Amino acid sequence: MAVIADLSIPFLAPTFRFQWEEVQNCHVILYPEGMVKLSASAGEILRRCDGQRSVADLIIDLKQQFPDHDLGPDVKKFLEEAHEHGWIRTR
Amino acid sequence: MSMAGSAPVSPIAVKPPLWLLAELTYACPLQCPYCSNPMEIAKYKNELSTEDWFRVLQQARKMGATQLGFSGGEPLIRRDLEQLIAEARRLGFYTNLITSGVGMDENRVRAFKEAGLDHIQVSFQASTEELNNFIAGTDAFEHKMEMARQVKKQGYPMVLCFVLHRKNEDQIRDILDLAVALEADYVELATTQYYGWAYHNREQLLPTRAQLAHAEMVAKEYQEKMKGRMKIYYVIPDYYETRPKRCMDGWGSVFLTIAPDGTALPCHAARQLPGLEFPNVREKDVAWIWNESPAFGRFRGLDWMKEPCRSCPEKEKDLGGCRCQAYMLTGDAANADPVCDKSPLHHLVTEQVERVQQLAGQKEFEAKPLVFRNMANSKRITENA
């Protein structure tokens, strides 16, 4: 079931921590006694889940920064996964 | 660290530690007989100061450690815990408090949150007041319940930890119902690991095969039922396995434990291993300890292995198992973990397991008292040893 629509506004769940790790050279998700290392694109997407912009705005923003990539469907797919893991919530 | 321009001494690329376990104190109001602290807890009195811990946190974080566990003993006994949490959070650690809940109240739970604590794991000894208080050796059950509710109420992810053994294994359904009622996000059904006090009490704690089969069935049922709401971790005791666990994800590979007196250890049980000189953070910095100390290099990688590990096709998978278990059961820390059925000493494990199958439930066998973890017992037992 798709929970990520163009107008959903995603934000990071308060029970997870998202941060940049210098030594790992990537963004990570931290949770009780665990860590997930994120790919560069996953990091760029989650960085924009700020509870301010909608999914559509977030995709426009990514397209501006990475004009050579067709991001739309991949972004939504990743956000669905992130939602399933509980990393993000939407309003 | 190697000199600029010189080749590294070891051919093994040393990855930085990701996990720092800060054992703040061996003092504890509980007396759990399954505790994995060393039996010698009464000997180590010289606890690190707040400044020592600040320095350790800074050094470990600089190397790339992200997860920090405040543990013990009971970490709540340290009056500077709020300060340590605040410093850890400032440095960017994900901070875990691993506690019995005894020594905390609503206000302290809030103060920790304000200091930046990410997660509190509350341990229970059983699902009923009577058994819980018996195993804990103190009257703590109602207070733990209240603290678990506070953890949830104040917005922490809630992890409940139940250590399982023969005396409470059959309560598994009630234990999981309790976790559901408390709305736990994660439940750790932690099987007793036979180190320290638990090793001493091994015969009274080891569950039977029938108990494990039942517990596994119930755990699976709840994993299915609570999917998406509650994550349940369940692992069977390695004594019942035929391949060893990948202990600590490898010696000197991910985990760094600092004992209350500042001794740096690759795992919290390693202190007992003979012939190793574990460095102390009062004298050495964390980078030297991790990268260059002989003790942390001793069992790193695969080169230290003897047969049957050396020629085993699975050696990279389990890394030969647990060094402490190899030492405790076979007398040589470089042997294969005898949990492995390729070990010529595997019978040392199976004999123990079979003995428990035969004797469990018999009045005389069950009547042997548990030795509770406290300073008086520590002195009595280790001074006579």
XYZ file of all heavy atoms in Angstrom, chain B residues 254-317:
514
model
N 34.775 -4.405 16.331
C 33.652 -3.470 16.420
C 33.495 -2.906 17.832
O 33.238 -1.720 18.020
C 32.330 -4.170 16.001
C 31.145 -3.234 16.172
C 32.403 -4.666 14.554
N 33.658 -3.785 18.834
C 33.341 -3.421 20.220
C 34.565 -3.042 21.044
O 35.594 -3.712 20.982
C 32.669 -4.601 20.934
C 31.285 -4.859 20.461
C 31.049 -5.697 19.388
C 30.199 -4.242 21.080
C 29.758 -5.939 18.939
C 28.915 -4.484 20.640
C 28.693 -5.332 19.559
N 34.381 -2.006 21.806
C 35.387 -1.610 22.792
C 34.673 -1.424 24.122
O 33.751 -0.631 24.244
C 36.049 -0.294 22.363
C 36.965 0.369 23.391
C 38.152 -0.518 23.721
C 37.451 1.721 22.872
N 35.087 -2.221 25.103
C 34.516 -2.092 26.446
C 35.529 -1.398 27.341
O 36.713 -1.742 27.310
C 34.213 -3.483 27.036
O 33.244 -4.130 26.228
C 33.681 -3.380 28.460
N 35.058 -0.433 28.110
C 35.913 0.152 29.137
C 35.310 -0.222 30.490
O 34.179 0.149 30.799
C 36.013 1.689 29.011
C 36.414 2.115 27.587
C 36.976 2.248 30.067
C 37.790 1.665 27.128
N 36.071 -0.978 31.279
C 35.607 -1.417 32.599
C 35.657 -0.234 33.576
O 36.317 0.773 33.307
C 36.471 -2.576 33.078
N 34.945 -0.354 34.706
C 34.868 0.775 35.647
C 36.229 1.346 36.063
O 36.355 2.546 36.302
C 34.149 0.161 36.857
C 33.309 -0.928 36.273
C 34.101 -1.481 35.133
N 37.247 0.498 36.127
C 38.573 0.975 36.564
C 39.426 1.458 35.396
O 40.609 1.747 35.569
C 39.312 -0.142 37.321
C 39.656 -1.320 36.417
O 39.096 -1.409 35.298
O 40.475 -2.162 36.821
N 38.832 1.528 34.186
C 39.559 2.075 33.043
C 40.245 1.033 32.169
O 40.824 1.379 31.141
N 40.157 -0.235 32.571
C 40.750 -1.285 31.743
C 39.974 -1.399 30.440
O 38.753 -1.473 30.442
C 40.711 -2.642 32.489
O 41.388 -2.476 33.733
C 41.387 -3.733 31.683
N 40.713 -1.395 29.326
C 40.081 -1.498 28.013
C 40.058 -2.953 27.587
O 41.075 -3.651 27.663
C 40.849 -0.666 26.997
N 38.889 -3.425 27.144
C 38.696 -4.836 26.826
C 37.985 -4.988 25.479
O 37.102 -4.203 25.154
C 37.827 -5.495 27.916
C 38.342 -5.450 29.343
C 37.209 -5.791 30.321
C 39.498 -6.416 29.524
N 38.342 -6.030 24.719
C 37.620 -6.290 23.459
C 36.207 -6.821 23.703
O 35.386 -6.819 22.814
C 38.478 -7.346 22.765
C 39.779 -7.341 23.486
C 39.482 -6.919 24.876
N 35.938 -7.317 24.892
C 34.576 -7.661 25.291
C 34.565 -7.671 26.808
O 35.614 -7.751 27.438
C 34.129 -9.017 24.736
S 34.591 -10.419 25.745
N 33.352 -7.601 27.390
C 33.275 -7.410 28.842
C 33.729 -8.627 29.643
O 33.927 -8.541 30.841
C 31.879 -6.958 29.247
C 30.806 -7.888 28.776
N 30.351 -7.882 27.480
C 30.135 -8.866 29.400
C 29.434 -8.812 27.347
N 29.282 -9.423 28.497
N 33.899 -9.781 28.973
C 34.328 -10.977 29.713
C 35.818 -11.276 29.551
O 36.348 -12.189 30.176
C 33.497 -12.181 29.261
N 36.496 -10.507 28.702
C 37.867 -10.867 28.285
C 38.913 -10.757 29.389
O 39.997 -11.331 29.293
C 38.286 -10.001 27.103
N 38.573 -10.034 30.437
C 39.535 -9.777 31.496
C 40.128 -11.039 32.107
O 41.265 -11.052 32.591
C 38.785 -8.986 32.567
C 39.586 -8.493 33.669
C 38.748 -7.488 34.424
N 39.619 -6.499 34.977
C 39.293 -5.245 35.227
N 38.086 -4.824 34.966
N 40.142 -4.431 35.724
N 39.367 -12.119 32.099
C 39.805 -13.382 32.720
C 40.887 -14.103 31.910
O 41.498 -15.032 32.410
C 38.591 -14.300 32.843
C 38.010 -14.659 31.467
C 36.751 -15.496 31.548
O 36.691 -16.462 32.285
N 35.733 -15.089 30.812
N 41.091 -13.709 30.642
C 42.014 -14.464 29.794
C 43.449 -14.269 30.260
O 43.916 -13.145 30.416
C 41.868 -14.037 28.330
C 40.475 -14.226 27.733
C 40.450 -13.781 26.275
C 40.015 -15.678 27.849
N 44.183 -15.372 30.471
C 45.544 -15.261 30.981
C 46.524 -14.851 29.880
O 46.258 -15.057 28.694
C 45.854 -16.677 31.459
C 45.007 -17.554 30.600
C 43.779 -16.766 30.250
N 47.619 -14.241 30.287
C 48.689 -13.931 29.347
C 48.457 -12.685 28.517
O 49.241 -12.374 27.634
N 47.383 -11.978 28.789
C 47.128 -10.744 28.058
C 47.185 -9.572 29.028
O 46.627 -9.643 30.123
C 45.745 -10.777 27.401
C 45.562 -11.760 26.249
C 44.103 -11.813 25.825
C 46.432 -11.354 25.069
N 47.844 -8.515 28.592
C 47.901 -7.337 29.447
C 46.977 -6.285 28.853
O 47.297 -5.695 27.811
C 49.331 -6.819 29.483
C 49.652 -6.148 30.786
C 51.121 -5.758 30.843
O 51.975 -6.663 30.663
O 51.393 -4.569 31.025
N 45.823 -6.105 29.461
C 44.870 -5.158 28.897
C 45.220 -3.740 29.315
O 45.419 -3.471 30.502
C 43.442 -5.522 29.300
C 42.965 -6.774 28.622
C 42.813 -7.951 29.332
C 42.710 -6.777 27.256
C 42.404 -9.120 28.700
C 42.294 -7.945 26.607
C 42.143 -9.112 27.338
N 45.316 -2.839 28.344
C 45.725 -1.476 28.657
C 44.636 -0.700 29.413
O 43.474 -1.092 29.397
C 45.965 -0.847 27.282
C 45.312 -1.732 26.290
C 45.086 -3.066 26.910
N 45.053 0.371 30.070
C 44.117 1.186 30.845
C 44.049 2.596 30.246
O 45.095 3.169 29.894
C 44.580 1.245 32.304
C 43.499 1.822 33.213
O 43.101 2.971 33.081
N 43.015 1.003 34.133
N 42.841 3.125 30.158
C 42.667 4.455 29.543
C 43.262 5.583 30.397
O 43.362 6.709 29.938
C 41.185 4.767 29.242
C 40.648 3.818 28.172
C 40.340 4.708 30.514
N 43.645 5.272 31.627
C 44.344 6.289 32.426
C 45.759 6.498 31.898
O 46.361 7.543 32.093
C 44.450 5.852 33.890
C 43.143 5.871 34.638
C 43.412 5.565 36.118
N 42.426 4.658 36.650
C 41.433 5.031 37.461
N 41.296 6.286 37.807
N 40.580 4.158 37.915
N 46.294 5.455 31.264
C 47.686 5.534 30.801
C 47.839 5.667 29.297
O 48.829 6.223 28.825
C 48.447 4.270 31.245
C 48.775 4.252 32.722
C 48.371 2.942 33.380
O 48.416 1.900 32.708
O 47.977 2.979 34.567
N 46.897 5.138 28.546
C 47.045 5.115 27.083
C 45.809 5.729 26.431
O 44.708 5.665 26.989
C 47.185 3.666 26.598
C 48.395 2.942 27.149
C 49.667 3.407 26.453
C 50.861 2.557 26.908
N 52.110 3.029 26.301
N 45.982 6.300 25.223
C 44.787 6.814 24.557
C 44.106 5.693 23.759
O 44.707 4.651 23.477
C 45.082 8.061 23.718
C 45.937 7.783 22.509
O 45.599 6.862 21.747
O 46.944 8.488 22.338
N 42.845 5.950 23.442
C 42.006 4.909 22.848
C 42.554 4.455 21.491
O 42.528 3.271 21.173
C 40.541 5.402 22.730
C 39.685 4.406 21.962
C 39.956 5.636 24.119
N 43.100 5.384 20.702
C 43.618 5.018 19.375
C 44.782 4.031 19.516
O 44.854 3.028 18.808
C 44.060 6.264 18.616
N 45.687 4.264 20.464
C 46.796 3.331 20.672
C 46.266 1.977 21.136
O 46.677 0.926 20.638
C 47.788 3.890 21.705
C 48.986 2.973 21.860
C 50.139 3.005 21.129
C 49.106 1.856 22.764
N 50.968 1.976 21.521
C 50.366 1.262 22.523
C 48.263 1.315 23.745
C 50.815 0.141 23.240
C 48.706 0.195 24.460
C 49.976 -0.382 24.215
N 45.341 2.023 22.086
C 44.776 0.783 22.635
C 44.174 -0.056 21.523
O 44.423 -1.254 21.410
C 43.705 1.117 23.706
C 44.382 1.666 24.966
C 42.827 -0.089 24.015
C 43.431 2.287 25.970
N 43.391 0.594 20.668
C 42.670 -0.122 19.610
C 43.612 -0.589 18.498
O 43.563 -1.729 18.073
C 41.571 0.786 19.048
C 40.670 0.081 18.077
C 40.732 0.130 16.718
C 39.570 -0.793 18.385
N 39.744 -0.653 16.162
C 39.016 -1.233 17.160
C 38.999 -1.254 19.589
C 37.916 -2.102 17.094
C 37.902 -2.123 19.520
C 37.376 -2.533 18.296
N 44.463 0.322 18.042
C 45.274 0.034 16.853
C 46.566 -0.706 17.158
O 47.055 -1.463 16.331
C 45.636 1.332 16.129
C 44.414 1.999 15.527
O 43.523 1.328 15.016
N 44.365 3.316 15.594
N 47.148 -0.461 18.305
C 48.519 -0.932 18.507
C 48.758 -1.826 19.708
O 49.810 -2.454 19.790
C 49.452 0.282 18.589
C 49.272 1.173 17.373
C 50.494 1.992 17.053
O 51.601 1.525 17.353
O 50.315 3.084 16.519
N 47.823 -1.861 20.652
C 48.141 -2.655 21.845
C 48.169 -4.142 21.469
O 47.344 -4.612 20.684
C 47.108 -2.420 22.950
O 45.879 -3.023 22.621
N 49.132 -4.890 22.020
C 49.215 -6.324 21.730
C 47.924 -7.064 22.105
O 47.503 -7.969 21.385
C 50.383 -6.795 22.606
C 51.204 -5.564 22.867
C 50.241 -4.419 22.872
N 47.273 -6.668 23.195
C 46.074 -7.385 23.637
C 44.950 -7.297 22.599
O 44.269 -8.287 22.319
C 45.590 -6.836 24.978
N 44.753 -6.117 22.011
C 43.678 -5.976 21.024
C 44.037 -6.627 19.685
O 43.161 -6.932 18.890
C 43.280 -4.502 20.843
C 42.300 -4.051 21.874
C 42.702 -3.824 23.183
C 40.948 -3.895 21.558
C 41.785 -3.445 24.154
C 40.027 -3.517 22.527
C 40.442 -3.290 23.822
N 45.326 -6.841 19.456
C 45.743 -7.501 18.223
C 45.782 -9.019 18.347
O 45.821 -9.728 17.346
N 45.758 -9.515 19.590
C 46.034 -10.928 19.852
C 45.142 -11.896 19.056
O 45.613 -12.877 18.504
C 45.910 -11.201 21.363
C 46.090 -12.650 21.790
C 47.500 -13.171 21.537
N 47.631 -14.582 21.889
C 47.360 -15.593 21.075
N 46.932 -15.358 19.854
N 47.497 -16.840 21.480
N 43.841 -11.650 19.011
C 42.926 -12.568 18.313
C 42.209 -11.869 17.160
O 41.129 -12.275 16.753
C 41.908 -13.164 19.297
C 42.528 -13.990 20.385
C 42.507 -13.541 21.708
C 43.140 -15.203 20.092
C 43.084 -14.301 22.722
C 43.720 -15.962 21.098
C 43.697 -15.515 22.412
N 42.822 -10.790 16.682
C 42.200 -10.071 15.570
C 42.461 -10.845 14.271
O 43.523 -11.415 14.087
C 42.810 -8.673 15.490
C 42.093 -7.721 14.569
C 42.713 -6.321 14.646
N 42.019 -5.444 15.574
C 42.624 -4.485 16.284
N 43.934 -4.318 16.198
N 41.916 -3.705 17.082
N 41.479 -10.871 13.399
C 41.656 -11.552 12.115
C 41.656 -13.069 12.276
O 40.942 -13.615 13.129
N 42.441 -13.779 11.466
C 42.381 -15.245 11.423
C 43.720 -15.920 11.719
O 43.782 -17.130 11.915
C 41.904 -15.702 10.026
C 40.602 -15.073 9.512
C 40.416 -15.366 8.020
C 39.394 -15.584 10.293
N 44.796 -15.122 11.783
C 46.138 -15.714 11.853
C 46.436 -16.452 13.158
O 47.333 -17.279 13.206
C 47.203 -14.623 11.653
C 47.243 -14.134 10.218
O 46.610 -14.811 9.363
O 47.854 -13.091 9.948
N 45.722 -16.152 14.209
C 45.982 -16.750 15.517
C 45.429 -18.167 15.618
O 45.733 -18.897 16.561
C 45.325 -15.902 16.613
C 43.869 -15.718 16.360
C 43.275 -14.724 15.635
C 42.799 -16.587 16.774
N 41.921 -14.920 15.572
C 41.600 -16.052 16.272
C 42.753 -17.764 17.526
C 40.355 -16.652 16.482
C 41.509 -18.361 17.749
C 40.330 -17.797 17.224
N 44.617 -18.561 14.639
C 43.845 -19.805 14.782
C 44.705 -21.062 14.757
O 45.731 -21.126 14.104
C 42.825 -19.903 13.649
C 41.652 -18.968 13.808
S 40.518 -19.134 12.408
C 39.217 -18.025 12.978
N 44.215 -22.062 15.485
C 44.808 -23.404 15.451
C 43.804 -24.305 14.726
O 42.700 -23.896 14.396
C 45.000 -23.918 16.891
C 45.800 -22.964 17.768
C 46.474 -23.676 18.936
C 45.500 -24.210 19.964
N 46.195 -24.637 21.214
N 44.170 -25.546 14.517
C 43.191 -26.505 13.984
C 42.172 -26.818 15.079
O 42.521 -26.804 16.245
C 43.893 -27.785 13.511
C 44.767 -27.572 12.292
C 43.993 -27.139 11.045
O 42.740 -27.169 11.055
O 44.643 -26.737 10.081
N 40.908 -27.115 14.723
C 40.370 -27.279 13.379
C 39.954 -25.963 12.690
O 39.529 -26.003 11.537
C 39.140 -28.154 13.622
C 38.674 -27.738 14.986
C 39.909 -27.420 15.756
N 40.121 -24.826 13.363
C 39.670 -23.570 12.766
C 40.504 -23.190 11.534
O 39.966 -22.757 10.519
C 39.732 -22.426 13.780
S 38.626 -22.642 15.176
N 41.805 -23.347 11.653
C 42.734 -22.834 10.637
C 42.363 -23.282 9.221
O 42.409 -22.499 8.284
C 44.161 -23.274 10.991
C 45.230 -22.770 10.050
C 46.618 -23.127 10.559
N 47.072 -22.201 11.590
C 47.646 -21.026 11.351
N 47.837 -20.623 10.129
N 48.015 -20.241 12.341
N 41.988 -24.546 9.070
C 41.675 -25.057 7.730
C 40.160 -25.135 7.487
O 39.713 -25.723 6.515
C 42.303 -26.444 7.551
O 41.764 -27.326 8.528
N 39.386 -24.555 8.373
C 37.922 -24.664 8.268
C 37.377 -23.697 7.217
O 37.693 -22.502 7.244
C 37.280 -24.384 9.628
S 35.479 -24.480 9.592
N 36.516 -24.184 6.320
C 35.944 -23.286 5.303
C 34.989 -22.235 5.898
O 34.651 -21.263 5.225
C 35.187 -24.247 4.366
C 34.946 -25.484 5.163
C 36.091 -25.578 6.144
N 34.569 -22.437 7.140
C 33.628 -21.495 7.750
C 34.312 -20.492 8.682
O 33.656 -19.753 9.401
C 32.553 -22.260 8.532
C 31.673 -23.127 7.650
C 30.746 -24.022 8.467
O 29.816 -23.492 9.077
O 30.976 -25.244 8.493
N 35.654 -20.478 8.656
C 36.344 -19.660 9.665
C 36.048 -18.161 9.549
O 36.037 -17.453 10.533
C 37.847 -19.926 9.641
C 38.580 -19.494 8.378
C 40.067 -19.795 8.519
C 40.803 -19.536 7.229
N 42.209 -19.939 7.293
N 35.787 -17.695 8.329
C 35.504 -16.262 8.195
C 34.092 -15.917 8.632
O 33.782 -14.755 8.883
C 35.739 -15.818 6.746
C 37.208 -15.919 6.406
C 37.587 -15.246 5.100
O 36.902 -14.295 4.695
O 38.563 -15.688 4.496
N 33.255 -16.923 8.692
C 31.866 -16.704 9.090
C 31.752 -16.525 10.603
O 31.171 -15.564 11.085
C 31.039 -17.905 8.627
C 29.560 -17.686 8.651
C 28.856 -18.874 7.983
C 27.530 -19.121 8.653
N 27.091 -20.510 8.498
